[in-house]
Amino acid sequence: MKTFANDSLQEQEYVNAHFRSRSSHWKNIYASDCLRGEIYRARQATVLDWIDGLALEPGSRMLEVGCGAGFLSIALAQRGFRVNAIDSVEVMVELAKQHAAEAQITNLLSLEPGDVNSLAFEDSSFDLVVALGVIPWLQRPELAIQEIARVTRPGGYVILTTDNRAGLINFPDPVNNPMFKPLKQGLNKVLKSIGLHYRVPIVTSHACRYIDKTLASIKLDKVRGKTLAFGPFTLFNRIVVPQAIGKWLHVRLQLLADRNVPGFRSTGKHYIILTRKQELDF
């Protein structure tokens, strides 16, 4: 158990170091003209559209876990919600504070360092908890999901995103193909045994059904879900499809997914899921 805890802390530090080194990337990606920028904007727009559809009262309490550069939290505060936002990387928190100050929205938005595995909030504190792009970076996502459920009030909502193991774009690239995960893990062990490490944190993808089952087991009932993102296509993490063609492919394949066409509806890279916490029984 102690060895696992030490490994988890070490892996989390790799993740934090990765995000510290790429903070400028997260500052710019949402304004980027590249396909990844387009996908991140679409993911955020989907989540905001779903939240708008919940018709929550102004002043409702919301928590964003892994707020990154703060764009989603700012958008929620601009809607009149009271938002707490946390990130495990202090550089990202400072970047989010800068963006909040530029947007003149600091009165409804609190930004602090925080750990999703040990949230510093009371039970049933929030009407909505959002975690975009957090679960893929965790070794034990079920522990984080339990914490998220704990701080959500009965009848409140949780929106999560994960990396979809069945994502169509994973399979052409050996680096991202889930079938090669055991090989990568074995390589890590070999490197570790000789005092070396695979320095880039391994992002973990999950089956949509596994995420659904995990959420249901802690009384988070699925309201809706969708997969999103069909690109960029890579080989050994290098983009191999020209940008214009990649965007065209993404748009066409996403249309098929949104129309629930079998073979496409569940093969976007990102799985977005909205759940509602069960009411208490008396």
Side-chain angles (χ1 to χ4, degrees):
M1 183 65 71
K2 186 175 181 180
T3 300
F4 175 79
N6 289 338
D7 288 346
S8 295
L9 288 172
Q10 187 177 57
E11 184 63 27
Q12 187 58 53
E13 181 50 38
Y14 284 157
V15 170
N16 290 348
H18 174 75
F19 279 93
R20 280 194 294 268
S21 69
R22 290 170 58 85
S23 60
S24 60
H25 167 79
W26 295 106
K27 178 179 180 179
N28 300 321
I29 188 65
Y30 281 86
S32 171
D33 186 49
C34 71
L35 178 53
R36 282 197 175 99
E38 188 171 303
I39 286 169
Y40 284 125
R41 288 191 296 272
R43 185 178 70 174
Q44 179 171 297
T46 296
V47 170
L48 286 171
D49 181 60
W50 288 6
I51 293 171
D52 290 342
L54 298 177
L56 296 171
E57 294 290 332
S60 295
R61 292 197 64 193
M62 299 189 175
L63 170 66
E64 184 183 8
V65 175
C67 64
F71 297 121
L72 178 64
S73 289
I74 290 168
L76 293 173
Q78 288 172 332
R79 285 162 163 77
F81 301 123
R82 293 179 295 151
V83 183
N84 288 82
I86 65 169
D87 199 286
S88 61
V89 180
E90 291 194 23
V91 172
M92 300 305 297
V93 174
E94 293 304 314
L95 183 59
K97 286 181 177 179
Q98 176 187 328
H99 290 152
E102 292 170 355
Q104 299 182 335
I105 199 65
T106 55
N107 59 318
L108 288 172
L109 177 57
S110 172
L111 290 148
E112 300 291 342
D115 179 6
V116 66
N117 294 304
S118 182
L119 295 172
F121 303 101
E122 299 291 333
D123 295 358
S124 306
S125 293
F126 297 99
D127 301 292
L128 171 72
V129 182
V130 184
L132 270 64
V134 174
I135 300 302
W137 299 93
L138 303 176
Q139 280 197 304
R140 296 285 300 277
E142 63 276 8
L143 300 181
I145 294 172
Q146 287 173 2
E147 269 293 273
I148 287 171
R150 178 184 66 78
V151 301
T152 306
R153 69 166 177 82
Y157 297 91
V158 172
I159 298 178
L160 302 174
T161 71
T162 68
D163 278 11
N164 179 17
R165 181 168 294 172
L168 184 64
I169 68 169
N170 293 335
F171 292 95
D173 193 335
V175 175
N176 300 314
N177 191 316
M179 292 186 293
F180 288 95
K181 183 179 179 180
L183 180 61
K184 290 190 288 183
Q185 291 175 330
L187 177 60
N188 268 346
K189 290 180 180 179
V190 172
L191 291 175
K192 187 175 181 179
S193 71
I194 59 174
L196 299 175
H197 296 283
Y198 181 60
R199 293 297 179 183
V200 178
I202 298 176
V203 180
T204 302
S205 59
H206 299 91
C208 297
R209 288 184 180 179
Y210 166 78
I211 295 297
D212 290 348
K213 185 177 179 179
T214 301
L215 293 165
S217 71
I218 51 177
K219 302 186 184 303
L220 293 173
D221 296 331
K222 182 176 178 179
V223 177
R224 63 191 304 184
K226 68 173 288 183
T227 67
L228 181 147
F230 291 87
F233 286 92
T234 61
L235 185 62
F236 296 105
N237 269 341
R238 293 183 178 274
I239 297 174
V240 293
V241 176
Q243 178 169 272
I245 297 174
K247 286 185 175 182
W248 183 87
L249 277 172
H250 162 67
V251 170
R252 297 303 182 276
L253 295 175
Q254 189 64 53
L255 283 172
L256 295 175
D258 292 343
R259 291 170 180 166
N260 288 319
V261 175
F264 296 98
R265 63 188 176 198
S266 59
T267 57
K269 176 178 174 56
H270 301 295
Y271 179 44
I272 312 173
I273 181 169
L274 166 65
T275 67
R276 188 175 189 186
K277 186 173 178 179
Q278 293 178 13
E279 300 278 2
L280 295 174
D281 294 325
F282 294 98

